[in-house]
Amino acid sequence: MSLFIIVFGLLIVIAGTILTISPKVIIDFLESNKEKLWIHILAVVVRVILGICLILQSNISKFPIIVEIFGWLSLTAAILITVIGRSSFQQLMNWVITKVKPYARLGGLVSAGFGVFLIYAFI
């Protein structure tokens, strides 16, 4: 499970770097796929798997309390994304994309930083 978290952290670093360098790539991808069912399912499934892994593996990380908190936040987000339903999820995606566009590069840096944190916490 730790390997999954490290790989996930690496993917977050890659996505954050792309968002920092060329935000249009990530934003265009999200805009063109926000209405597809698979993006909603993926948003839930990834958060559930990551949340469970973070909670179960938190005790072997360098920052057990912080990692466990991130795990519970991930599970909570998965539950909320499931409960709000597909149409509200699409509206949320529209709202987030609109509000975040001007700060996409900063968001990319924060995302990459979070990915680095996950990798560091489990190496």
Side-chain angles (χ1 to χ4, degrees):
M1 270 196 251
S2 293
L3 181 60
F4 171 79
I5 296 168
I6 292 168
V7 169
F8 187 79
L10 181 61
L11 292 173
I12 292 174
V13 169
I14 292 168
T17 302
I18 293 169
L19 191 57
T20 302
I21 294 169
S22 181
K24 189 170 174 26
V25 172
I26 301 286
I27 291 170
D28 286 352
F29 174 80
L30 291 173
E31 284 181 329
S32 64
N33 290 294
K34 66 186 172 198
E35 294 179 5
K36 296 184 178 162
L37 177 61
W38 69 266
I39 200 93
H40 190 186
I41 293 170
L42 186 68
V44 173
V45 170
V46 167
R47 282 170 179 79
V48 167
I49 293 171
L50 181 64
I52 290 170
C53 287
L54 289 175
I55 291 165
L56 294 177
Q57 298 295 108
S58 64
N59 60 335
I60 65 165
S61 75
K62 291 180 176 105
F63 312 99
I65 294 171
I66 295 170
V67 169
E68 186 173 349
I69 289 169
F70 280 132
W72 286 111
L73 287 172
S74 183
L75 281 179
T76 302
I79 292 166
L80 290 174
I81 291 171
T82 302
V83 169
I84 66 172
R86 192 159 173 234
S87 64
S88 293
F89 176 74
Q90 290 170 353
Q91 290 173 351
L92 176 64
M93 289 283 290
N94 284 331
W95 181 81
V96 168
I97 290 170
T98 302
K99 298 295 180 190
V100 169
K101 262 186 191 179
Y103 310 104
R105 292 183 196 276
L106 178 61
L109 287 173
V110 171
S111 297
F114 178 67
V116 168
F117 169 78
L118 288 178
I119 293 167
Y120 177 73
F122 286 94
I123 287 186

